[in-house]
Amino acid sequence: GVRALQLLSLLLQTTISSTLALICAMGASAVPGVRRSARLMQELPVAKRERPVTGERPVAKREKRREVPDTKREKAKAFATAAHASTAREASARADGVELIVGCDEAGRGPLAGPVVAAACAFSPGAEPIPGVGDSKSIADEAEREALYEQIVAAPGVVWSARVVSAARVDEVNILMASLEAMRLSIVDVLGASQRRPATALALIDGPFSPWKEGEKYVDFQQPQPPSDVALQVEPIKGGDAKVYCIAAASILAKVTRDRLMRRYAELWPEYGLAEHKGYPTARHVAAIAKHGATAIHRRTFAPLKAQELPPPSADELRQIEAIEAAAQAKEGTP
């Protein structure tokens, strides 16, 4: 009898304790006429007071978890849909009183065949940026690059130039010096093509080097010089073709000019696949060189051709190439 009374008392205590815990967790409003006891709330274990009955997480935490990925998605979407490279550097220079801002970039430093091409481009201050203008290497669709090229050269007031330096010249002076030479030529074209010669100009260059590279070993690589009546500042920018609008435009002009040339050369030497790889050292290209030998536009100072000690192109071949590349060069000034 005593044992049964003890068990019954224990059962009643457990039931009362569970009921009180449930009432406190649900809140006084959940049970009409019942008020929560502050003392009981203090005596209940913390886990029982804080854990919601439904088992759901607090609303504030759920909302915070949603906000983080939403913010990341918005940033990624804004980056992916950026209309064009930034015009901030050009705007800053104009605010400082610079009259003409020229972007410059090259295409074709790495191929085994064909020339290196540099382009320079200056837009009028009020020109609307062209959607899609960015680093030409990031534009995989050749038709899209061609369309952007046509929009750039048709922009009101644009001044631009594309200069071609042959593979023979690359072999003569090395690819860096040939690239900087093409840049100098295109920049000077733009400075001289403006209807009204600017007193001040800024050349924004893709890469780490000025086309007028300083140092004793570069004294023979300074021509042409900018016009003497133009105060030209040169600013190299690493990765500038992806960051600065006028450099990005120049990168498209240079890339399209060179690609068109390589398609023309593909008509002369169809067995090399130049229209597809544009002279870069793909497996197909290297295999074609091994099978058919080098053409007049192959760079003899580049591996694997360097080890073969090939003779230079003939005079007739050089004249043919010069005519094709001269026709490909284009420059446009403000009427």
Side-chain angles (χ1 to χ4, degrees), residues 117 119 121 123 130 133 139 142-155 158 160-162 249-258 260 328-332:
V117 176
C121 182
F123 293 96
I130 299 168
V133 170
I139 306 171
E142 194 165 315
E144 184 181 351
R145 288 197 303 269
E146 287 278 351
L148 288 169
Y149 175 99
E150 296 300 338
Q151 291 181 68
I152 292 167
V153 300
V158 70
W160 67 279
S161 170
S251 79
I252 293 171
L253 297 179
K255 174 67 173 168
V256 171
T257 299
R258 188 178 187 279
R260 290 176 176 179
Q329 283 188 146
K331 58 184 176 180
E332 187 99 358

PDB file of all heavy atoms in Angstrom, residues 117 119 121 123 130 133 139 142-155 158 160-162 249-258 260 328-332:
ATOM      1  N   VAL A 117      49.450  43.022 -83.698  1.00  0.00           N
ATOM      2  CA  VAL A 117      48.651  44.195 -84.058  1.00  0.00           C
ATOM      3  C   VAL A 117      48.355  44.988 -82.793  1.00  0.00           C
ATOM      4  O   VAL A 117      48.003  44.413 -81.757  1.00  0.00           O
ATOM      5  CB  VAL A 117      47.322  43.776 -84.733  1.00  0.00           C
ATOM      6  CG1 VAL A 117      46.452  45.000 -85.023  1.00  0.00           C
ATOM      7  CG2 VAL A 117      47.596  43.000 -86.018  1.00  0.00           C
ATOM      8  N   ALA A 119      46.146  48.541 -81.447  1.00  0.00           N
ATOM      9  CA  ALA A 119      45.151  49.548 -81.799  1.00  0.00           C
ATOM     10  C   ALA A 119      45.089  50.595 -80.706  1.00  0.00           C
ATOM     11  O   ALA A 119      45.309  50.299 -79.527  1.00  0.00           O
ATOM     12  CB  ALA A 119      43.779  48.907 -82.005  1.00  0.00           C
ATOM     13  N   CYS A 121      42.530  54.009 -79.466  1.00  0.00           N
ATOM     14  CA  CYS A 121      41.152  54.449 -79.631  1.00  0.00           C
ATOM     15  C   CYS A 121      40.844  55.576 -78.656  1.00  0.00           C
ATOM     16  O   CYS A 121      41.169  55.475 -77.469  1.00  0.00           O
ATOM     17  CB  CYS A 121      40.218  53.263 -79.404  1.00  0.00           C
ATOM     18  SG  CYS A 121      38.476  53.619 -79.620  1.00  0.00           S
ATOM     19  N   PHE A 123      37.528  58.205 -77.650  1.00  0.00           N
ATOM     20  CA  PHE A 123      36.133  58.579 -77.839  1.00  0.00           C
ATOM     21  C   PHE A 123      35.926  60.046 -77.490  1.00  0.00           C
ATOM     22  O   PHE A 123      36.666  60.615 -76.678  1.00  0.00           O
ATOM     23  CB  PHE A 123      35.227  57.713 -76.960  1.00  0.00           C
ATOM     24  CG  PHE A 123      35.186  56.273 -77.360  1.00  0.00           C
ATOM     25  CD1 PHE A 123      36.013  55.345 -76.729  1.00  0.00           C
ATOM     26  CD2 PHE A 123      34.339  55.826 -78.349  1.00  0.00           C
ATOM     27  CE1 PHE A 123      35.980  54.003 -77.081  1.00  0.00           C
ATOM     28  CE2 PHE A 123      34.293  54.491 -78.721  1.00  0.00           C
ATOM     29  CZ  PHE A 123      35.122  53.571 -78.080  1.00  0.00           C
ATOM     30  N   ILE A 130      29.337  51.858 -75.380  1.00  0.00           N
ATOM     31  CA  ILE A 130      28.707  50.802 -76.180  1.00  0.00           C
ATOM     32  C   ILE A 130      28.544  49.564 -75.311  1.00  0.00           C
ATOM     33  O   ILE A 130      29.537  49.032 -74.793  1.00  0.00           O
ATOM     34  CB  ILE A 130      29.558  50.481 -77.421  1.00  0.00           C
ATOM     35  CG1 ILE A 130      29.693  51.730 -78.297  1.00  0.00           C
ATOM     36  CG2 ILE A 130      28.971  49.324 -78.205  1.00  0.00           C
ATOM     37  CD1 ILE A 130      30.751  51.602 -79.383  1.00  0.00           C
ATOM     38  N   VAL A 133      31.237  46.229 -74.645  1.00  0.00           N
ATOM     39  CA  VAL A 133      32.660  46.499 -74.855  1.00  0.00           C
ATOM     40  C   VAL A 133      33.435  46.112 -73.595  1.00  0.00           C
ATOM     41  O   VAL A 133      33.246  46.695 -72.526  1.00  0.00           O
ATOM     42  CB  VAL A 133      32.904  47.974 -75.210  1.00  0.00           C
ATOM     43  CG1 VAL A 133      34.405  48.290 -75.173  1.00  0.00           C
ATOM     44  CG2 VAL A 133      32.344  48.287 -76.580  1.00  0.00           C
ATOM     45  N   ILE A 139      35.414  37.706 -74.928  1.00  0.00           N
ATOM     46  CA  ILE A 139      34.308  37.630 -75.885  1.00  0.00           C
ATOM     47  C   ILE A 139      34.592  36.459 -76.815  1.00  0.00           C
ATOM     48  O   ILE A 139      35.318  36.591 -77.806  1.00  0.00           O
ATOM     49  CB  ILE A 139      34.151  38.941 -76.665  1.00  0.00           C
ATOM     50  CG1 ILE A 139      34.008  40.119 -75.696  1.00  0.00           C
ATOM     51  CG2 ILE A 139      32.939  38.870 -77.598  1.00  0.00           C
ATOM     52  CD1 ILE A 139      34.063  41.477 -76.361  1.00  0.00           C
ATOM     53  N   GLU A 142      33.060  35.092 -82.130  1.00  0.00           N
ATOM     54  CA  GLU A 142      33.738  35.909 -83.125  1.00  0.00           C
ATOM     55  C   GLU A 142      32.775  36.897 -83.782  1.00  0.00           C
ATOM     56  O   GLU A 142      33.135  38.043 -84.064  1.00  0.00           O
ATOM     57  CB  GLU A 142      34.375  35.010 -84.194  1.00  0.00           C
ATOM     58  CG  GLU A 142      35.365  35.716 -85.081  1.00  0.00           C
ATOM     59  CD  GLU A 142      36.240  34.752 -85.864  1.00  0.00           C
ATOM     60  OE1 GLU A 142      36.730  33.771 -85.265  1.00  0.00           O
ATOM     61  OE2 GLU A 142      36.420  34.966 -87.064  1.00  0.00           O
ATOM     62  N   ALA A 143      31.533  36.469 -84.021  1.00  0.00           N
ATOM     63  CA  ALA A 143      30.541  37.360 -84.629  1.00  0.00           C
ATOM     64  C   ALA A 143      30.227  38.535 -83.703  1.00  0.00           C
ATOM     65  O   ALA A 143      30.005  39.668 -84.169  1.00  0.00           O
ATOM     66  CB  ALA A 143      29.271  36.582 -84.947  1.00  0.00           C
ATOM     67  N   GLU A 144      30.227  38.285 -82.402  1.00  0.00           N
ATOM     68  CA  GLU A 144      29.978  39.362 -81.444  1.00  0.00           C
ATOM     69  C   GLU A 144      31.114  40.380 -81.457  1.00  0.00           C
ATOM     70  O   GLU A 144      30.882  41.592 -81.405  1.00  0.00           O
ATOM     71  CB  GLU A 144      29.807  38.782 -80.038  1.00  0.00           C
ATOM     72  CG  GLU A 144      29.454  39.825 -78.982  1.00  0.00           C
ATOM     73  CD  GLU A 144      29.304  39.236 -77.593  1.00  0.00           C
ATOM     74  OE1 GLU A 144      29.313  37.994 -77.465  1.00  0.00           O
ATOM     75  OE2 GLU A 144      29.173  40.015 -76.628  1.00  0.00           O
ATOM     76  N   ARG A 145      32.359  39.893 -81.539  1.00  0.00           N
ATOM     77  CA  ARG A 145      33.499  40.817 -81.628  1.00  0.00           C
ATOM     78  C   ARG A 145      33.417  41.660 -82.894  1.00  0.00           C
ATOM     79  O   ARG A 145      33.692  42.860 -82.882  1.00  0.00           O
ATOM     80  CB  ARG A 145      34.822  40.043 -81.596  1.00  0.00           C
ATOM     81  CG  ARG A 145      35.178  39.460 -80.253  1.00  0.00           C
ATOM     82  CD  ARG A 145      36.656  39.084 -80.188  1.00  0.00           C
ATOM     83  NE  ARG A 145      37.038  38.141 -81.228  1.00  0.00           N
ATOM     84  CZ  ARG A 145      37.019  36.824 -81.085  1.00  0.00           C
ATOM     85  NH1 ARG A 145      36.609  36.289 -79.945  1.00  0.00           N
ATOM     86  NH2 ARG A 145      37.400  36.023 -82.066  1.00  0.00           N
ATOM     87  N   GLU A 146      33.062  41.029 -83.995  1.00  0.00           N
ATOM     88  CA  GLU A 146      32.931  41.760 -85.256  1.00  0.00           C
ATOM     89  C   GLU A 146      31.869  42.846 -85.153  1.00  0.00           C
ATOM     90  O   GLU A 146      32.053  43.972 -85.634  1.00  0.00           O
ATOM     91  CB  GLU A 146      32.584  40.783 -86.392  1.00  0.00           C
ATOM     92  CG  GLU A 146      33.730  39.882 -86.837  1.00  0.00           C
ATOM     93  CD  GLU A 146      34.664  40.573 -87.820  1.00  0.00           C
ATOM     94  OE1 GLU A 146      34.337  41.678 -88.290  1.00  0.00           O
ATOM     95  OE2 GLU A 146      35.737  40.011 -88.104  1.00  0.00           O
ATOM     96  N   ALA A 147      30.736  42.524 -84.530  1.00  0.00           N
ATOM     97  CA  ALA A 147      29.658  43.504 -84.383  1.00  0.00           C
ATOM     98  C   ALA A 147      30.092  44.672 -83.506  1.00  0.00           C
ATOM     99  O   ALA A 147      29.791  45.842 -83.802  1.00  0.00           O
ATOM    100  CB  ALA A 147      28.421  42.820 -83.798  1.00  0.00           C
ATOM    101  N   LEU A 148      30.823  44.376 -82.419  1.00  0.00           N
ATOM    102  CA  LEU A 148      31.317  45.437 -81.547  1.00  0.00           C
ATOM    103  C   LEU A 148      32.337  46.315 -82.277  1.00  0.00           C
ATOM    104  O   LEU A 148      32.359  47.541 -82.100  1.00  0.00           O
ATOM    105  CB  LEU A 148      31.932  44.836 -80.278  1.00  0.00           C
ATOM    106  CG  LEU A 148      30.935  44.243 -79.286  1.00  0.00           C
ATOM    107  CD1 LEU A 148      31.661  43.446 -78.203  1.00  0.00           C
ATOM    108  CD2 LEU A 148      30.093  45.352 -78.644  1.00  0.00           C
ATOM    109  N   TYR A 149      33.189  45.686 -83.069  1.00  0.00           N
ATOM    110  CA  TYR A 149      34.164  46.431 -83.878  1.00  0.00           C
ATOM    111  C   TYR A 149      33.434  47.476 -84.730  1.00  0.00           C
ATOM    112  O   TYR A 149      33.821  48.657 -84.760  1.00  0.00           O
ATOM    113  CB  TYR A 149      34.938  45.456 -84.760  1.00  0.00           C
ATOM    114  CG  TYR A 149      35.898  46.077 -85.746  1.00  0.00           C
ATOM    115  CD1 TYR A 149      37.263  46.155 -85.473  1.00  0.00           C
ATOM    116  CD2 TYR A 149      35.449  46.582 -86.966  1.00  0.00           C
ATOM    117  CE1 TYR A 149      38.143  46.711 -86.392  1.00  0.00           C
ATOM    118  CE2 TYR A 149      36.320  47.148 -87.883  1.00  0.00           C
ATOM    119  CZ  TYR A 149      37.663  47.211 -87.596  1.00  0.00           C
ATOM    120  OH  TYR A 149      38.534  47.769 -88.506  1.00  0.00           O
ATOM    121  N   GLU A 150      32.388  47.045 -85.430  1.00  0.00           N
ATOM    122  CA  GLU A 150      31.656  47.959 -86.316  1.00  0.00           C
ATOM    123  C   GLU A 150      30.996  49.088 -85.532  1.00  0.00           C
ATOM    124  O   GLU A 150      30.939  50.229 -86.001  1.00  0.00           O
ATOM    125  CB  GLU A 150      30.610  47.181 -87.111  1.00  0.00           C
ATOM    126  CG  GLU A 150      31.188  46.133 -88.061  1.00  0.00           C
ATOM    127  CD  GLU A 150      32.110  46.727 -89.118  1.00  0.00           C
ATOM    128  OE1 GLU A 150      32.001  47.947 -89.404  1.00  0.00           O
ATOM    129  OE2 GLU A 150      32.948  45.988 -89.666  1.00  0.00           O
ATOM    130  N   GLN A 151      30.515  48.790 -84.338  1.00  0.00           N
ATOM    131  CA  GLN A 151      29.904  49.839 -83.511  1.00  0.00           C
ATOM    132  C   GLN A 151      30.948  50.837 -83.016  1.00  0.00           C
ATOM    133  O   GLN A 151      30.687  52.047 -82.949  1.00  0.00           O
ATOM    134  CB  GLN A 151      29.191  49.212 -82.317  1.00  0.00           C
ATOM    135  CG  GLN A 151      27.953  48.408 -82.678  1.00  0.00           C
ATOM    136  CD  GLN A 151      27.285  47.843 -81.433  1.00  0.00           C
ATOM    137  OE1 GLN A 151      26.741  48.582 -80.606  1.00  0.00           O
ATOM    138  NE2 GLN A 151      27.330  46.530 -81.283  1.00  0.00           N
ATOM    139  N   ILE A 152      32.135  50.335 -82.665  1.00  0.00           N
ATOM    140  CA  ILE A 152      33.193  51.215 -82.160  1.00  0.00           C
ATOM    141  C   ILE A 152      33.640  52.184 -83.246  1.00  0.00           C
ATOM    142  O   ILE A 152      33.728  53.401 -83.021  1.00  0.00           O
ATOM    143  CB  ILE A 152      34.379  50.388 -81.634  1.00  0.00           C
ATOM    144  CG1 ILE A 152      33.976  49.616 -80.369  1.00  0.00           C
ATOM    145  CG2 ILE A 152      35.580  51.298 -81.336  1.00  0.00           C
ATOM    146  CD1 ILE A 152      34.969  48.552 -79.956  1.00  0.00           C
ATOM    147  N   VAL A 153      33.947  51.674 -84.435  1.00  0.00           N
ATOM    148  CA  VAL A 153      34.468  52.545 -85.493  1.00  0.00           C
ATOM    149  C   VAL A 153      33.402  53.497 -86.030  1.00  0.00           C
ATOM    150  O   VAL A 153      33.729  54.509 -86.671  1.00  0.00           O
ATOM    151  CB  VAL A 153      35.080  51.727 -86.643  1.00  0.00           C
ATOM    152  CG1 VAL A 153      36.230  50.858 -86.133  1.00  0.00           C
ATOM    153  CG2 VAL A 153      34.031  50.861 -87.347  1.00  0.00           C
ATOM    154  N   ALA A 154      32.118  53.186 -85.762  1.00  0.00           N
ATOM    155  CA  ALA A 154      31.041  54.062 -86.213  1.00  0.00           C
ATOM    156  C   ALA A 154      30.592  55.049 -85.134  1.00  0.00           C
ATOM    157  O   ALA A 154      29.700  55.875 -85.385  1.00  0.00           O
ATOM    158  CB  ALA A 154      29.840  53.224 -86.656  1.00  0.00           C
ATOM    159  N   ALA A 155      31.198  54.981 -83.950  1.00  0.00           N
ATOM    160  CA  ALA A 155      30.799  55.878 -82.857  1.00  0.00           C
ATOM    161  C   ALA A 155      31.082  57.332 -83.239  1.00  0.00           C
ATOM    162  O   ALA A 155      32.136  57.641 -83.815  1.00  0.00           O
ATOM    163  CB  ALA A 155      31.554  55.512 -81.583  1.00  0.00           C
ATOM    164  N   VAL A 158      34.700  59.286 -82.797  1.00  0.00           N
ATOM    165  CA  VAL A 158      35.783  58.382 -82.400  1.00  0.00           C
ATOM    166  C   VAL A 158      37.006  58.601 -83.288  1.00  0.00           C
ATOM    167  O   VAL A 158      36.895  58.911 -84.482  1.00  0.00           O
ATOM    168  CB  VAL A 158      35.330  56.909 -82.470  1.00  0.00           C
ATOM    169  CG1 VAL A 158      35.132  56.453 -83.915  1.00  0.00           C
ATOM    170  CG2 VAL A 158      36.333  55.997 -81.762  1.00  0.00           C
ATOM    171  N   TRP A 160      40.594  56.512 -84.120  1.00  0.00           N
ATOM    172  CA  TRP A 160      41.222  55.223 -83.842  1.00  0.00           C
ATOM    173  C   TRP A 160      42.238  54.865 -84.911  1.00  0.00           C
ATOM    174  O   TRP A 160      42.254  55.438 -86.008  1.00  0.00           O
ATOM    175  CB  TRP A 160      40.160  54.128 -83.735  1.00  0.00           C
ATOM    176  CG  TRP A 160      39.429  53.824 -85.023  1.00  0.00           C
ATOM    177  CD1 TRP A 160      38.387  54.513 -85.549  1.00  0.00           C
ATOM    178  CD2 TRP A 160      39.731  52.775 -85.943  1.00  0.00           C
ATOM    179  NE1 TRP A 160      37.991  53.945 -86.742  1.00  0.00           N
ATOM    180  CE2 TRP A 160      38.794  52.877 -87.001  1.00  0.00           C
ATOM    181  CE3 TRP A 160      40.678  51.749 -85.967  1.00  0.00           C
ATOM    182  CZ2 TRP A 160      38.801  51.998 -88.086  1.00  0.00           C
ATOM    183  CZ3 TRP A 160      40.674  50.874 -87.045  1.00  0.00           C
ATOM    184  CH2 TRP A 160      39.745  50.996 -88.091  1.00  0.00           C
ATOM    185  N   SER A 161      43.079  53.916 -84.582  1.00  0.00           N
ATOM    186  CA  SER A 161      44.080  53.417 -85.520  1.00  0.00           C
ATOM    187  C   SER A 161      44.436  51.986 -85.145  1.00  0.00           C
ATOM    188  O   SER A 161      44.465  51.647 -83.961  1.00  0.00           O
ATOM    189  CB  SER A 161      45.342  54.284 -85.474  1.00  0.00           C
ATOM    190  OG  SER A 161      46.401  53.684 -86.208  1.00  0.00           O
ATOM    191  N   ALA A 162      44.690  51.158 -86.153  1.00  0.00           N
ATOM    192  CA  ALA A 162      45.201  49.797 -85.931  1.00  0.00           C
ATOM    193  C   ALA A 162      46.471  49.640 -86.756  1.00  0.00           C
ATOM    194  O   ALA A 162      46.465  49.905 -87.960  1.00  0.00           O
ATOM    195  CB  ALA A 162      44.162  48.757 -86.345  1.00  0.00           C
ATOM    196  N   ALA A 249      37.975  48.845 -75.769  1.00  0.00           N
ATOM    197  CA  ALA A 249      37.612  49.095 -77.171  1.00  0.00           C
ATOM    198  C   ALA A 249      38.804  48.871 -78.089  1.00  0.00           C
ATOM    199  O   ALA A 249      38.685  48.266 -79.162  1.00  0.00           O
ATOM    200  CB  ALA A 249      37.075  50.515 -77.311  1.00  0.00           C
ATOM    201  N   ALA A 250      39.979  49.345 -77.659  1.00  0.00           N
ATOM    202  CA  ALA A 250      41.190  49.141 -78.457  1.00  0.00           C
ATOM    203  C   ALA A 250      41.527  47.662 -78.583  1.00  0.00           C
ATOM    204  O   ALA A 250      41.991  47.199 -79.640  1.00  0.00           O
ATOM    205  CB  ALA A 250      42.361  49.899 -77.825  1.00  0.00           C
ATOM    206  N   SER A 251      41.290  46.893 -77.530  1.00  0.00           N
ATOM    207  CA  SER A 251      41.578  45.450 -77.585  1.00  0.00           C
ATOM    208  C   SER A 251      40.702  44.761 -78.623  1.00  0.00           C
ATOM    209  O   SER A 251      41.151  43.842 -79.319  1.00  0.00           O
ATOM    210  CB  SER A 251      41.387  44.812 -76.200  1.00  0.00           C
ATOM    211  OG  SER A 251      40.017  44.585 -75.903  1.00  0.00           O
ATOM    212  N   ILE A 252      39.456  45.202 -78.762  1.00  0.00           N
ATOM    213  CA  ILE A 252      38.557  44.620 -79.769  1.00  0.00           C
ATOM    214  C   ILE A 252      39.018  45.005 -81.174  1.00  0.00           C
ATOM    215  O   ILE A 252      39.048  44.160 -82.086  1.00  0.00           O
ATOM    216  CB  ILE A 252      37.114  45.079 -79.508  1.00  0.00           C
ATOM    217  CG1 ILE A 252      36.607  44.468 -78.198  1.00  0.00           C
ATOM    218  CG2 ILE A 252      36.192  44.690 -80.667  1.00  0.00           C
ATOM    219  CD1 ILE A 252      35.273  45.016 -77.731  1.00  0.00           C
ATOM    220  N   LEU A 253      39.402  46.262 -81.358  1.00  0.00           N
ATOM    221  CA  LEU A 253      39.890  46.695 -82.668  1.00  0.00           C
ATOM    222  C   LEU A 253      41.133  45.918 -83.084  1.00  0.00           C
ATOM    223  O   LEU A 253      41.263  45.486 -84.237  1.00  0.00           O
ATOM    224  CB  LEU A 253      40.193  48.198 -82.641  1.00  0.00           C
ATOM    225  CG  LEU A 253      39.013  49.135 -82.382  1.00  0.00           C
ATOM    226  CD1 LEU A 253      39.490  50.583 -82.360  1.00  0.00           C
ATOM    227  CD2 LEU A 253      37.922  48.955 -83.419  1.00  0.00           C
ATOM    228  N   ALA A 254      42.058  45.724 -82.152  1.00  0.00           N
ATOM    229  CA  ALA A 254      43.283  44.993 -82.462  1.00  0.00           C
ATOM    230  C   ALA A 254      42.997  43.528 -82.768  1.00  0.00           C
ATOM    231  O   ALA A 254      43.520  42.963 -83.737  1.00  0.00           O
ATOM    232  CB  ALA A 254      44.266  45.106 -81.291  1.00  0.00           C
ATOM    233  N   LYS A 255      42.155  42.902 -81.948  1.00  0.00           N
ATOM    234  CA  LYS A 255      41.834  41.480 -82.124  1.00  0.00           C
ATOM    235  C   LYS A 255      41.125  41.222 -83.446  1.00  0.00           C
ATOM    236  O   LYS A 255      41.492  40.294 -84.186  1.00  0.00           O
ATOM    237  CB  LYS A 255      40.967  41.028 -80.950  1.00  0.00           C
ATOM    238  CG  LYS A 255      40.418  39.608 -81.051  1.00  0.00           C
ATOM    239  CD  LYS A 255      41.483  38.566 -80.978  1.00  0.00           C
ATOM    240  CE  LYS A 255      40.875  37.159 -80.911  1.00  0.00           C
ATOM    241  NZ  LYS A 255      41.892  36.115 -81.127  1.00  0.00           N
ATOM    242  N   VAL A 256      40.129  42.029 -83.775  1.00  0.00           N
ATOM    243  CA  VAL A 256      39.378  41.817 -85.012  1.00  0.00           C
ATOM    244  C   VAL A 256      40.260  42.082 -86.226  1.00  0.00           C
ATOM    245  O   VAL A 256      40.206  41.334 -87.227  1.00  0.00           O
ATOM    246  CB  VAL A 256      38.117  42.693 -85.033  1.00  0.00           C
ATOM    247  CG1 VAL A 256      37.441  42.656 -86.403  1.00  0.00           C
ATOM    248  CG2 VAL A 256      37.133  42.228 -83.962  1.00  0.00           C
ATOM    249  N   THR A 257      41.083  43.123 -86.172  1.00  0.00           N
ATOM    250  CA  THR A 257      41.998  43.409 -87.282  1.00  0.00           C
ATOM    251  C   THR A 257      42.915  42.229 -87.544  1.00  0.00           C
ATOM    252  O   THR A 257      43.112  41.795 -88.687  1.00  0.00           O
ATOM    253  CB  THR A 257      42.834  44.665 -86.990  1.00  0.00           C
ATOM    254  OG1 THR A 257      41.962  45.790 -86.838  1.00  0.00           O
ATOM    255  CG2 THR A 257      43.826  44.941 -88.107  1.00  0.00           C
ATOM    256  N   ARG A 258      43.480  41.663 -86.484  1.00  0.00           N
ATOM    257  CA  ARG A 258      44.391  40.533 -86.655  1.00  0.00           C
ATOM    258  C   ARG A 258      43.662  39.276 -87.124  1.00  0.00           C
ATOM    259  O   ARG A 258      44.159  38.542 -87.982  1.00  0.00           O
ATOM    260  CB  ARG A 258      45.135  40.240 -85.339  1.00  0.00           C
ATOM    261  CG  ARG A 258      46.240  39.208 -85.528  1.00  0.00           C
ATOM    262  CD  ARG A 258      47.017  38.926 -84.265  1.00  0.00           C
ATOM    263  NE  ARG A 258      48.135  38.067 -84.603  1.00  0.00           N
ATOM    264  CZ  ARG A 258      48.042  36.761 -84.761  1.00  0.00           C
ATOM    265  NH1 ARG A 258      46.876  36.153 -84.584  1.00  0.00           N
ATOM    266  NH2 ARG A 258      49.102  36.036 -85.094  1.00  0.00           N
ATOM    267  N   ARG A 260      41.002  39.052 -88.931  1.00  0.00           N
ATOM    268  CA  ARG A 260      40.691  39.197 -90.355  1.00  0.00           C
ATOM    269  C   ARG A 260      41.924  38.901 -91.211  1.00  0.00           C
ATOM    270  O   ARG A 260      41.819  38.266 -92.267  1.00  0.00           O
ATOM    271  CB  ARG A 260      40.180  40.608 -90.633  1.00  0.00           C
ATOM    272  CG  ARG A 260      38.797  40.883 -90.047  1.00  0.00           C
ATOM    273  CD  ARG A 260      38.384  42.328 -90.272  1.00  0.00           C
ATOM    274  NE  ARG A 260      37.017  42.585 -89.796  1.00  0.00           N
ATOM    275  CZ  ARG A 260      36.425  43.780 -89.856  1.00  0.00           C
ATOM    276  NH1 ARG A 260      37.075  44.826 -90.371  1.00  0.00           N
ATOM    277  NH2 ARG A 260      35.185  43.926 -89.400  1.00  0.00           N
ATOM    278  N   ALA A 328      45.336  45.779 -94.580  1.00  0.00           N
ATOM    279  CA  ALA A 328      44.587  45.513 -93.353  1.00  0.00           C
ATOM    280  C   ALA A 328      44.674  46.658 -92.364  1.00  0.00           C
ATOM    281  O   ALA A 328      43.802  46.823 -91.502  1.00  0.00           O
ATOM    282  CB  ALA A 328      45.105  44.241 -92.686  1.00  0.00           C
ATOM    283  N   GLN A 329      45.731  47.469 -92.469  1.00  0.00           N
ATOM    284  CA  GLN A 329      45.880  48.584 -91.534  1.00  0.00           C
ATOM    285  C   GLN A 329      44.823  49.636 -91.826  1.00  0.00           C
ATOM    286  O   GLN A 329      44.531  49.950 -92.966  1.00  0.00           O
ATOM    287  CB  GLN A 329      47.273  49.198 -91.657  1.00  0.00           C
ATOM    288  CG  GLN A 329      48.346  48.386 -90.991  1.00  0.00           C
ATOM    289  CD  GLN A 329      49.696  49.073 -90.946  1.00  0.00           C
ATOM    290  OE1 GLN A 329      50.426  48.896 -90.004  1.00  0.00           O
ATOM    291  NE2 GLN A 329      50.018  49.837 -91.955  1.00  0.00           N
ATOM    292  N   ALA A 330      44.264  50.158 -90.797  1.00  0.00           N
ATOM    293  CA  ALA A 330      43.237  51.186 -90.978  1.00  0.00           C
ATOM    294  C   ALA A 330      43.365  52.220 -89.886  1.00  0.00           C
ATOM    295  O   ALA A 330      43.734  51.910 -88.764  1.00  0.00           O
ATOM    296  CB  ALA A 330      41.853  50.536 -90.929  1.00  0.00           C
ATOM    297  N   LYS A 331      43.054  53.439 -90.253  1.00  0.00           N
ATOM    298  CA  LYS A 331      42.995  54.502 -89.252  1.00  0.00           C
ATOM    299  C   LYS A 331      41.908  55.482 -89.646  1.00  0.00           C
ATOM    300  O   LYS A 331      41.640  55.689 -90.813  1.00  0.00           O
ATOM    301  CB  LYS A 331      44.349  55.199 -89.076  1.00  0.00           C
ATOM    302  CG  LYS A 331      44.926  55.820 -90.326  1.00  0.00           C
ATOM    303  CD  LYS A 331      46.302  56.397 -90.044  1.00  0.00           C
ATOM    304  CE  LYS A 331      46.960  56.938 -91.306  1.00  0.00           C
ATOM    305  NZ  LYS A 331      48.284  57.493 -91.033  1.00  0.00           N
ATOM    306  N   GLU A 332      41.305  56.056 -88.651  1.00  0.00           N
ATOM    307  CA  GLU A 332      40.144  56.906 -88.888  1.00  0.00           C
ATOM    308  C   GLU A 332      40.247  58.123 -87.983  1.00  0.00           C
ATOM    309  O   GLU A 332      40.478  58.001 -86.787  1.00  0.00           O
ATOM    310  CB  GLU A 332      38.879  56.133 -88.551  1.00  0.00           C
ATOM    311  CG  GLU A 332      37.607  56.840 -88.918  1.00  0.00           C
ATOM    312  CD  GLU A 332      37.035  56.363 -90.226  1.00  0.00           C
ATOM    313  OE1 GLU A 332      37.621  55.506 -90.890  1.00  0.00           O
ATOM    314  OE2 GLU A 332      35.974  56.864 -90.565  1.00  0.00           O
TER     315      GLU A 332
END
